[in-house]
Amino acid sequence: MLILAIILFGIVAGGVAQIILGRSMKDVDWTTAVVTGLLGSFVGGLGLSLLTGNGLDLHATGLIGSILGALLLTWAWGFWRRSREG
């Protein structure tokens, strides 16, 4: 059940990250949202949960870490794409 929650929240976190970074709801690139959300959720959520001592349980720190990780990865991906386009 925890894996399903991580996947679902990762997708939502990726979409929220794009909206926070300035995209409108209809302009969200869901492919990027899924990838950055899942990776951000895994790295940021797990990292912050372990750092605060909550372990692998589902806590608010993990959810906050998921959004922060997705924000960081979405920003980095956008920066990399803009630099490659010229």
Side-chain angles (χ1 to χ4, degrees), residues 46-62:
L46 181 63
L48 194 57
S49 286
L50 293 177
L51 191 71
T52 58
N54 289 330
L56 297 177
D57 295 332
L58 190 60
H59 284 86
T61 55

Side-chain angles (χ1 to χ4, degrees):
M1 189 66 160
L2 179 64
I3 300 295
L4 184 60
I6 289 171
I7 291 170
L8 182 62
F9 193 76
I11 294 168
V12 171
V16 168
Q18 287 187 29
I19 291 170
I20 289 173
L21 291 174
R23 288 203 171 193
S24 68
M25 185 64 172
K26 64 180 179 179
D27 293 333
V28 170
D29 177 8
W30 287 105
T31 304
T32 304
V34 168
V35 173
T36 59
L38 289 176
L39 290 175
S41 182
F42 180 72
V43 173
L46 181 63
L48 194 57
S49 286
L50 293 177
L51 191 71
T52 58
N54 289 330
L56 297 177
D57 295 332
L58 190 60
H59 284 86
T61 55
L63 300 177
I64 292 167
S66 295
I67 293 174
L68 291 175
L71 268 169
L72 180 65
L73 286 174
T74 302
W75 175 82
W77 177 254
F79 181 77
W80 182 78
R81 284 180 58 185
R82 281 190 302 276
S83 70
R84 303 245 328 148
E85 290 175 355

